[in-house]
Amino acid sequence: MNDKPTVTVVGSFCVDILIRADRLPIWGETLLGRDFYLGPGGKGGNQAAGVARMGARTHFVTAVGEDHFAQLALDLAKAEGIDREGICVMPGAKTSVGFGLLDPAGRSACITDLAALSRMNAAFVDRFEPQIAASDVVLTMLENPVEAAAQAMQLGRKHGKLTILNPAPAVVLPGEVLRDCDIVTPNESELRVMLGLSPDSKEDDAELARKVRSRGVNTLIVTLGERGAMILNDEGQQHVPPVRVEVIDSTGAGDAFNAALAVALAAKTPLTTAVQLANCAGAIACTKLGSIPAMGRRDEIEAMWKKYYG
Ligand code: RIB
């Protein structure tokens, strides 16, 4: 890859609180869990950390509260070499929290309260147009108002940058938002929710992917967990096989995938290779507890790529 591509991540910072349990509690029940983890996260925080660890210049545009948790965002930026100018403290607000449960197999389920993130609107994103204009790629998600994600994609398009939307958590998006996205990266459940279906509906992935793409998306990349990833674009449909690892905690695997994809494409890596690198980043992110502690570095991701795809 070329040296120092630049990526702007417009998205969420959350403080992650994770506990592993043998099963989900029912309402009114307290369960004893284990493997407690507290640290910086959020899809945007994870993606910004992943981008920085891939060696890219990283701008992170997000909103935090006027509280102790906000410091974790600033500490993350300092530790990872992320530009912190876009980390904005919202007066009177609380920093968002991602409250996650892990099962013994490392699968995660998470609830997020947007808190300060709900103040990210189009005007907020506009303040960071110079960073977007100076980037190769703009990466955003939906753990912030759709308005902020839409504006990030629109500004990216205006300046001729590659625009990537990770539609997580998914909603049904208007066609005009999708048309500003060069690449959209749902997982299997998000693919369904984007079409107004139930997250576990049984329709065929490829058929659903074609439906989402027909709404104006150039390239759709569906992450399929342990089945790898599917690329759908003008050149047709392609399956990229997975890399299998022992899963400790899958929290943030999708974020690692998106971060590596963004940096690889910013460095003009061919799409199939970029998705292979992203698969490796996602796999590495499953091998430790917590999302950011597990996020791989470029040399580790490239070494795994050589082993499995090279
Ligand atoms: O994608 C994983 C992230 O989603 C976690 O870090 C948590 O914050 C949730 O928002």
Side-chain angles (χ1 to χ4, degrees):
M1 282 193 284
N2 300 332
D3 275 340
K4 280 285 175 200
T6 302
V7 176
T8 295
V9 178
V10 177
S12 54
F13 176 83
C14 307
V15 170
D16 280 0
I17 299 171
L18 303 175
I19 300 183
R20 195 184 307 275
D22 290 330
R23 60 174 174 82
L24 296 173
I26 62 164
W27 291 114
E29 181 187 27
T30 300
L31 278 183
L32 289 183
R34 57 192 182 281
D35 294 346
F36 173 69
Y37 170 86
L38 186 149
K43 296 184 191 302
N46 298 340
Q47 291 180 24
V51 164
R53 288 192 190 178
M54 277 289 283
R57 187 169 296 117
T58 314
H59 302 294
F60 183 25
V61 175
T62 192
V64 293
E66 206 177 14
D67 55 19
H68 294 311
F69 277 177
Q71 190 58 42
L72 273 78
L74 300 173
D75 292 348
L76 173 70
K78 190 168 178 205
E80 304 291 345
I82 297 166
D83 169 32
R84 50 179 273 180
E85 205 184 322
I87 302 176
C88 303
V89 176
M90 298 291 148
K94 289 192 167 58
T95 301
S96 176
V97 168
F99 180 72
L101 280 173
L102 297 174
D103 78 0
R107 290 181 305 176
S108 67
C110 190
I111 305 176
T112 302
D113 177 349
L114 287 193
L117 298 169
S118 62
R119 301 210 196 154
M120 290 174 71
N121 57 19
F124 175 87
V125 177
D126 281 343
R127 286 164 50 197
F128 302 97
E129 184 170 351
Q131 281 85 341
I132 289 173
S135 297
D136 300 291
V137 172
V138 187
L139 173 61
T140 193
M141 66 226 60
L142 299 175
E143 205 173 42
N144 36 257
V146 170
E147 183 185 338
Q151 192 65 6
M153 297 292 91
Q154 203 179 98
L155 290 176
R157 183 58 63 82
K158 173 180 164 188
H159 290 282
K161 310 303 174 184
L162 185 80
T163 55
I164 305 178
L165 169 68
N166 174 219
V171 291
V172 179
L173 287 166
E176 64 259 30
V177 175
L178 291 173
R179 282 192 286 276
D180 277 334
C181 304
D182 293 311
I183 299 180
V184 179
T185 59
N187 64 19
E188 297 149 282
S189 63
E190 290 154 1
L191 178 70
R192 286 159 173 76
V193 174
M194 287 180 82
L195 290 163
L197 300 169
S198 119
D200 58 357
S201 76
K202 299 291 173 233
E203 283 90 341
D204 176 58
D205 291 327
E207 184 55 37
L208 297 178
R210 277 192 286 278
K211 279 191 187 155
V212 170
R213 188 165 177 256
S214 72
R215 300 188 60 221
V217 177
N218 186 0
T219 298
L220 196 75
I221 301 173
V222 184
T223 55
L224 301 167
E226 56 191 25
R227 292 186 292 128
M230 178 189 5
I231 304 173
L232 197 66
N233 59 12
D234 282 344
E235 282 152 45
Q237 182 186 323
Q238 188 192 349
H239 176 245
V240 181
V243 170
R244 292 190 202 282
V245 289
E246 193 199 340
V247 177
I248 303 296
D249 171 10
S250 64
T251 316
D255 302 325
F257 181 98
N258 280 279
L261 178 76
V263 178
L265 294 176
K268 311 283 184 260
T269 307
L271 182 61
T272 304
T273 309
V275 174
Q276 292 169 342
L277 285 162
N279 270 352
C280 293
I284 290 169
C286 291
T287 58
K288 283 187 205 148
L289 185 66
S291 49
I292 291 175
M295 205 63 71
R297 296 190 182 278
R298 176 172 158 175
D299 51 356
E300 198 182 346
I301 291 166
E302 288 182 343
M304 186 182 256
W305 180 87
K306 279 197 190 98
K307 184 169 166 195
Y308 288 94
Y309 299 109

